[in-house]
């Protein structure tokens, strides 16, 4: 069973063109091995990578998310921005966990 914390993260005000990172914790709260099958994002301006793809019971790893605030053109890349990270696993109850990022790009 997958648990990701925090579920949301707000970078606050960020200067356009800045590359910012945040680490989330992915934990196996089940009694079987958790397999992280795929990590994807809602926009190519955001990348995400897990430190480990197979987690034993009570084991955890980091999910490093990088957001390039300059990847979108200025017309679309400024103001309030929200991105989603999708984590697909073999969790029988929640096969796709999601975490949310936001920032105010100036």
């Amino acid at each position: 069973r997958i648990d990701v914390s925090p579920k949301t993260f707000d970078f606050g005000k960020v200067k356009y063109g800045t590359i910012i990172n945040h680490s989330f914790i992915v934990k196996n709260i089940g009694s079987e091995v958790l397999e992280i099958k795929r990590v994807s994002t809602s926009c190519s301006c955001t990348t995400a990578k897990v430190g480990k793809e197979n987690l034993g019971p009570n084991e955890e790893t980091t999910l490093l998310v990088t957001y390039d605030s300059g990847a979108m053109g200025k017309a679309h890349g400024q103001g309030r921005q929200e991105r989603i990270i999708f984590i697909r696993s073999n969790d029988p109850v929640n096969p796709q966990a999601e975490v949310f990022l936001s920032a105010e790009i100036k």
Side-chain angles (χ1 to χ4, degrees):
R1 305 255 341 259
I2 192 168
D3 180 63
V4 185
S5 62
K7 303 282 190 239
T8 64
F9 185 77
D10 187 348
F11 286 106
K13 294 180 182 179
V14 176
K15 183 180 175 186
Y16 176 81
T18 303
I19 296 173
I20 47 183
N21 301 295
H22 183 72
S23 290
F24 294 85
I25 299 297
V26 178
K27 184 173 183 176
N28 180 0
I29 58 172
S31 58
E32 302 292 326
V33 172
L34 177 71
E35 295 176 35
I36 299 172
K37 297 179 177 185
R38 184 168 184 227
V39 177
S40 58
T41 64
S42 61
C43 179
S44 62
C45 62
T46 307
T47 59
K49 182 171 173 61
V50 289
K52 189 175 179 183
E53 294 175 345
N54 293 304
L55 302 173
N58 295 313
E59 194 173 5
E60 60 184 43
T61 189
T62 57
L63 169 70
L64 177 61
V65 177
T66 302
Y67 172 62
D68 182 351
S69 68
M72 304 290 285
K74 266 198 169 186
H76 298 288
Q78 290 189 306
R80 185 81 179 156
Q81 301 292 314
E82 297 176 346
R83 301 294 181 261
I84 306 169
I85 294 84
F86 306 96
I87 307 156
R88 291 178 185 83
S89 73
N90 66 334
D91 183 330
V93 176
N94 186 20
Q96 178 172 287
E98 298 175 354
V99 294
F100 301 87
L101 292 179
S102 59
E104 184 71 28
I105 308 300
K106 301 289 185 187

